[in-house]
Amino acid sequence: KQLVFQLLSFLFVWWMGISSAAAASASPSLAKAKQEAEAKGFIFPASRDEIIAKAKVEGRVNVLMSMNPSNFQPIAESFKKKYPFLDVRIQDITGSDAFQAFLLGLKAASVRDWDVGDASTDLYSEFPPYAMKFDLLGMANERVLAIDPRMVDPEHRTLVSIASTIATAAYNQNLITAEKVPNTWDDFLKPELKGKKFMVTVRPLNMPSLMAGLGEEWALNYARKTKEQDPVWGLGEARLLASLGAGEHALFQITNYHSCVQASQKDRTKGVMCKLIEPIPVRLAEMEFVVKGAAHPYAGLLFLEHQTSPEVQKIFDQNEPLKSSLYANGEIARLVKGKKIAVHDYRTFQNTTKWMEMIVEAYGFPRPQIK
């Protein structure tokens, strides 16, 4: 017991020395940001050295992610290479049921195994209370963490979006020439595309982005006019894209760009093509946070930062594919550069479920003809 007490005392004195040195060397703006954050109840490490020192004591980090599991090994390997003193375990979380169960566990304070969690877009507003109160925005602004501040929730300051999804129209070039593919979203409402000429998903994941960018009135009017076009209604983007590749239909009004690219890569007929239409719908994705009460919170901070790094963003573009953050120097930023975009982000996430229900109602509650 005496030995343990001496060791703890040494570690405490050593740590206080590091903290004092860091505080003394902090810039005036950093000192002010730290003071203001702590006055509001946030945790604001004084320096990156402080975060690394505490992470070394923790020794590991356990992460829940909703990205494709093909990302996990390269992410873990790159993290381990950067921080050889930290072990990392990553497990996937997918589907609304899994997110509901995770949220219930957070509310019951029964989540013990995870240091970094993932907040679903549909339930986003319920997650911030269960994030550890690290001032990620303040640390990003002061470069304590190498995170683009635009990735951080500006209101809650505790969650960071590490990826994004853009939407596209898709078509089969073996059935329709590129010249006849719509150039604007309104082109889908032209008379020549009436009567089973294009597919529409009954789960409008990308419509909230257009609502955020163009307004509720425009989007609902567009949905009603889409219904009047008598499209082919379907459920499941993968199934609709497979139908497109099989030559069963020529056009898919709006789908995830990365899903379209994947379908194009798998299509042996080389027919599936993706066409970006402005404003390009964009939604921030993969909102991650350090779990309140986490056993390894500082290792969690380093993992969040690592997710936003160029090497991991490149993994997202290659493995997902094409899901890097809008605010990273990746393929998504390159694709939308100089183009008009409609962004569904922290300002509008709380409307996700409501907006999707409003769109489905405007569609007339259609029954899927393709499942």
Side-chain angles (χ1 to χ4, degrees), residues 159-217:
L159 296 96
V160 56
S161 167
I162 63 170
S164 58
T165 298
I166 62 175
T168 181
Y171 66 99
N172 188 322
Q173 65 177 351
N174 298 326
L175 300 178
I176 185 172
T177 62
E179 294 75 21
K180 292 185 178 181
V181 177
N183 292 310
T184 70
W185 297 115
D186 285 330
D187 283 349
F188 280 95
L189 308 179
K190 288 183 175 180
E192 57 265 33
L193 288 181
K194 188 170 185 176
K196 311 299 182 186
K197 297 294 178 62
F198 60 93
M199 297 181 291
V200 178
T201 176
V202 298
R203 189 165 185 260
L205 288 171
N206 290 295
M207 287 301 292
S209 296
L210 290 177
M211 295 183 92
L214 298 175
E216 287 187 9
E217 184 177 351

Side-chain angles (χ1 to χ4, degrees), residues 167-169 182-185 188 253 275-281 340:
T168 181
N183 292 310
T184 70
W185 297 115
F188 280 95
Q253 185 192 52
K275 182 172 183 177
L276 294 173
I277 296 176
E278 298 181 49
I280 300 171
K340 295 178 181 178

Side-chain angles (χ1 to χ4, degrees), residues 64-68 71-72 93-94 99 117-121 124 151 159-165 258 283-289 304 307-308 313 316 320 323 346 349:
L64 280 178
M65 286 184 68
S66 61
M67 299 289 277
N68 191 307
N71 291 294
F72 296 173
I93 176 171
T94 54
F99 276 106
D118 199 309
S120 70
T121 304
Y124 181 77
M151 295 180 179
L159 296 96
V160 56
S161 167
I162 63 170
S164 58
T165 298
H258 67 274
R283 67 178 185 273
L284 300 192
E286 311 303 329
M287 282 68 67
E288 295 189 350
F289 58 97
L304 288 183
Q307 298 281 70
T308 70
Q313 292 293 309
F316 293 162
E320 223 22 62
K323 283 193 73 173
Y346 298 113
F349 280 157

Side-chain angles (χ1 to χ4, degrees), residues 59-109:
R60 68 172 298 107
V61 62
N62 301 313
V63 180
L64 280 178
M65 286 184 68
S66 61
M67 299 289 277
N68 191 307
S70 65
N71 291 294
F72 296 173
Q73 183 175 344
I75 291 173
E77 289 175 352
S78 62
F79 185 73
K80 186 70 175 178
K81 183 178 179 180
K82 188 180 293 185
Y83 304 108
F85 50 84
L86 291 175
D87 292 326
V88 58
R89 176 168 67 107
I90 307 174
Q91 181 173 307
D92 68 312
I93 176 171
T94 54
S96 57
D97 289 345
F99 276 106
Q100 286 276 10
F102 178 49
L103 183 59
L104 288 174
L106 292 172
K107 290 179 177 180

Side-chain angles (χ1 to χ4, degrees), residues 144-157:
V144 174
L145 290 174
I147 296 175
D148 189 312
R150 294 174 296 177
M151 295 180 179
V152 183
D153 183 327
E155 178 182 354
H156 298 102
R157 307 173 75 92

Side-chain angles (χ1 to χ4, degrees), residues 88-370:
V88 58
R89 176 168 67 107
I90 307 174
Q91 181 173 307
D92 68 312
I93 176 171
T94 54
S96 57
D97 289 345
F99 276 106
Q100 286 276 10
F102 178 49
L103 183 59
L104 288 174
L106 292 172
K107 290 179 177 180
S110 61
V111 174
R112 297 283 184 267
D113 298 332
W114 305 109
D115 305 304
V116 174
D118 199 309
S120 70
T121 304
D122 292 0
L123 301 168
Y124 181 77
S125 62
E126 297 192 54
F127 280 93
Y130 306 103
M132 187 168 284
K133 288 200 71 173
F134 282 118
D135 185 3
L136 299 182
L137 183 58
M139 288 187 280
N141 282 328
E142 295 299 328
R143 306 306 292 166
V144 174
L145 290 174
I147 296 175
D148 189 312
R150 294 174 296 177
M151 295 180 179
V152 183
D153 183 327
E155 178 182 354
H156 298 102
R157 307 173 75 92
T158 54
L159 296 96
V160 56
S161 167
I162 63 170
S164 58
T165 298
I166 62 175
T168 181
Y171 66 99
N172 188 322
Q173 65 177 351
N174 298 326
L175 300 178
I176 185 172
T177 62
E179 294 75 21
K180 292 185 178 181
V181 177
N183 292 310
T184 70
W185 297 115
D186 285 330
D187 283 349
F188 280 95
L189 308 179
K190 288 183 175 180
E192 57 265 33
L193 288 181
K194 188 170 185 176
K196 311 299 182 186
K197 297 294 178 62
F198 60 93
M199 297 181 291
V200 178
T201 176
V202 298
R203 189 165 185 260
L205 288 171
N206 290 295
M207 287 301 292
S209 296
L210 290 177
M211 295 183 92
L214 298 175
E216 287 187 9
E217 184 177 351
W218 181 92
L220 292 174
N221 185 53
Y222 185 74
R224 295 184 191 103
K225 290 182 177 179
T226 295
K227 173 191 174 185
E228 294 171 4
Q229 288 293 85
D230 186 27
V232 176
W233 300 103
L235 181 63
E237 292 202 354
R239 178 65 188 90
L240 271 64
L241 286 165
S243 178
L244 192 74
E248 297 170 355
H249 299 280
L251 269 173
F252 188 175
Q253 185 192 52
I254 185 169
T255 183
N256 290 330
Y257 186 77
H258 67 274
S259 300
C260 182
V261 170
Q262 285 178 318
S264 179
Q265 292 171 343
K266 295 176 182 178
D267 179 22
R268 295 180 179 179
T269 70
K270 306 299 180 185
V272 175
M273 304 295 290
C274 315
K275 182 172 183 177
L276 294 173
I277 296 176
E278 298 181 49
I280 300 171
V282 184
R283 67 178 185 273
L284 300 192
E286 311 303 329
M287 282 68 67
E288 295 189 350
F289 58 97
V290 177
V291 176
K292 187 177 182 180
H296 315 104
Y298 289 87
L301 277 182
L302 292 178
F303 191 84
L304 288 183
E305 179 192 58
H306 186 62
Q307 298 281 70
T308 70
S309 67
E311 59 263 45
V312 174
Q313 292 293 309
K314 186 175 181 180
I315 291 170
F316 293 162
D317 279 334
Q318 292 177 343
N319 287 24
E320 223 22 62
L322 298 167
K323 283 193 73 173
S324 58
S325 171
L326 173 67
Y327 303 120
N329 187 24
E331 285 299 302
I332 296 302
R334 183 188 64 79
L335 284 166
V336 304
K337 185 177 181 180
K339 296 181 172 64
K340 295 178 181 178
I341 59 176
V343 184
H344 183 39
D345 59 15
Y346 298 113
R347 299 166 301 171
T348 52
F349 280 157
Q350 73 274 11
N351 297 322
T352 300
T353 300
K354 178 185 74 172
W355 278 353
M356 288 178 63
E357 290 174 349
M358 290 168 66
I359 291 294
V360 172
E361 183 179 1
Y363 282 160
F365 300 105
R367 294 193 177 191
Q369 297 150 311
I370 300 175

